[in-house]
C-alpha cells in the first residue's frame, strides 16, 4: 500500500549527493529485482536528504499496492555507506485514500524543486492542472483497477481546479557536477470551483493526500517534486 518511509541515517560525510545517487540508493532499497528496475513508472518517490543534528533524514514514498520491502541495515549514498538508525513507515491504502472526506482547498509546500516536462521543454511553475493531472497519472499507474481515475473524472477535476495563491520562487539545483535544473519551491494553495460536485471534491482530497506520498512533477525518483500537504479544507 502507499506509504511514507522516513529513515534516520548516519551522516554520509561532506560529499555532495547528487540526484542520480539518491535515485541509485532508492533503487537498491526498494527494488527487489531487475524487472522492477526496468519499469517505466517506478513505484517510489525520493525526497532530498536533510540534516538532523549530526544525523541525516531521508524520506521515501512507496506507491505500489503491496507493502514496501524491508529497509536494509546499511544504505550506500555515493561513496558513503550509511547505517540506518531508525525506520518509520506510515502506510495508507488506496481504498482509504479514495474515501477521503471531500475538500475544496489544499495547501502544498514544495520541499524540493518542482518542474514538469512538456513536449521536450521544462515548465518550472506550479500549474494547478498539471499538478492534479500528474497526481492522477501516478495514481492510475499503481492503484488497483476499480479505484483508478476515469477520463470523465479527470476532465471534471482539471476543469474545476485553480490556483488560489502561491508564495515561493524558482531555484537552480545541481543535478550533477556540470548540470543544474530549475524548479519551484514554496507554498501553493489550490482550490476548486464552487460548482464542483462532491465526487470531484473527494477525488481532489484523495489526490492531494497521495501527492504527499508520491511527489509531483518530473524526476520524483531523483529527489525533485517532494511535497508536504499542509492544509486540506472543506
Amino acid at each position: 500500500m502507499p506509504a511514507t518511509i522516513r529513515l534516520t541515517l548516519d551522516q554520509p560525510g561532506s560529499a555532495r549527493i547528487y540526484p542520480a545517487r539518491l535515485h541509485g540508493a532508492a533503487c537498491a532499497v526498494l527494488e527487489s529485482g531487475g524487472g522492477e528496475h526496468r519499469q517505466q513508472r517506478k513505484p517510489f518517490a525520493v525526497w532530498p536528504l536533510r540534516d538532523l543534528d549530526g544525523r541525516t533524514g531521508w524520506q521515501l514514498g512507496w506507491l505500489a499496492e503491496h507493502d514496501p520491502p524491508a529497509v536494509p541495515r546499511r544504505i550506500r549514498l555515493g561513496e558513503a555507506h550509511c547505517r540506518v538508525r531508525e525506520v518509520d513507515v506510515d502506510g495508507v491504502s488506496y481504498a482509504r485514500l479514495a474515501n477521503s472526506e471531500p475538500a475544496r482547498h489544499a495547501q502544498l509546500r514544495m520541499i524540493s524543486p518542482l518542474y514538469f516536462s512538456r513536449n521536450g521543454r521544462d515548465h518550472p511553475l506550479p500549474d494547478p492542472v498539471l499538478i492534479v493531472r500528474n497526481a492522477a497519472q501516478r495514481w492510475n499507474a499503481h492503484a488497483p483497477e476499480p479505484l483508478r481515475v476515469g477520463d470523465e473524472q479527470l476532465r471534471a477535476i482539471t476543469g474545476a481546479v485553480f490556483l488560489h495563491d502561491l508564495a515561493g520562487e524558482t531555484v537552480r539545483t545541481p543535478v550533477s557536477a556540470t548540470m543544474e535544473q530549475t524548479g519551484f519551491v514554496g507554498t501553493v494553495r489550490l482550490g476548486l470551483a464552487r460548482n464542483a460536485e462532491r465526487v470531484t471534491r473527494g477525488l481532489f482530497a484523495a489526490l492531494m493526500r497521495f501527492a504527499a506520498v508520491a511527489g509531483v512533477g518530473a524526476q520524483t525518483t531523483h529527489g525533485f517534486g517532494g511535497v508536504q500537504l499542509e492544509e486540506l479544507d472543506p
Side-chain angles (χ1 to χ4, degrees):
M1 68 173 68
T4 298
I5 305 169
R6 299 181 182 90
L7 308 180
T8 301
L9 313 173
D10 285 338
Q11 196 70 259
S14 58
R16 185 184 294 275
I17 307 299
Y18 291 112
R21 291 181 172 179
L22 289 178
H23 175 77
C27 288
V29 172
L30 296 176
E31 293 182 339
S32 58
E36 290 186 2
H37 184 67
R38 290 189 292 270
Q39 288 183 6
Q40 183 177 4
R41 293 185 179 273
K42 293 187 180 296
F44 62 83
V46 176
W47 271 244
L49 303 177
R50 60 191 181 94
D51 181 65
L52 295 177
D53 295 326
R55 289 186 176 169
T56 296
W58 193 26
Q59 180 173 319
L60 302 168
W62 178 253
L63 313 183
E65 187 179 2
H66 58 276
D67 291 341
V71 176
R73 294 183 178 181
R74 288 185 176 273
I75 293 175
R76 180 176 177 179
L77 288 166
E79 299 303 317
H81 293 263
C82 306
R83 178 174 295 181
V84 179
R85 296 293 185 176
E86 296 179 16
V87 179
D88 178 64
V89 180
D90 184 12
V92 57
S93 68
Y94 278 103
R96 186 174 174 184
L97 288 172
N99 287 324
S100 296
E101 282 295 315
R104 196 181 296 276
H105 294 93
Q107 183 162 303
L108 304 173
R109 176 175 293 277
M110 310 306 174
I111 303 298
S112 58
L114 162 77
Y115 78 99
F116 298 94
S117 182
R118 302 181 66 193
N119 301 320
R121 294 180 294 177
D122 292 344
H123 183 73
L125 296 173
D127 184 296
V129 171
L130 295 181
I131 289 174
V132 296
R133 181 176 289 152
N134 182 262
Q137 288 172 343
R138 302 201 77 193
W139 173 289
N140 283 352
H142 303 287
E145 186 172 358
L147 298 178
R148 290 175 188 168
V149 180
D151 292 342
E152 185 175 343
Q153 293 175 298
L154 186 58
R155 284 192 294 270
I157 193 170
T158 55
V161 71
F162 65 92
L163 181 63
H164 189 276
D165 196 10
L166 84 161
E169 60 183 345
T170 55
V171 299
R172 293 188 65 81
T173 300
V175 176
S176 67
T178 58
M179 296 179 61
E180 293 183 328
Q181 175 63 53
T182 300
F184 175 86
V185 293
T187 58
V188 176
R189 187 168 180 82
L190 303 182
L192 292 181
R194 291 184 180 274
N195 62 352
E197 296 182 356
R198 179 180 176 83
V199 65
T200 301
R201 290 183 278 122
L203 176 60
F204 177 69
L207 292 180
M208 293 301 97
R209 292 176 64 196
F210 179 67
V213 179
V216 174
Q219 291 203 92
T220 52
T221 61
H222 288 67
F224 289 89
V227 171
Q228 178 182 339
L229 178 61
E230 294 188 329
E231 296 178 14
L232 194 59
D233 304 323

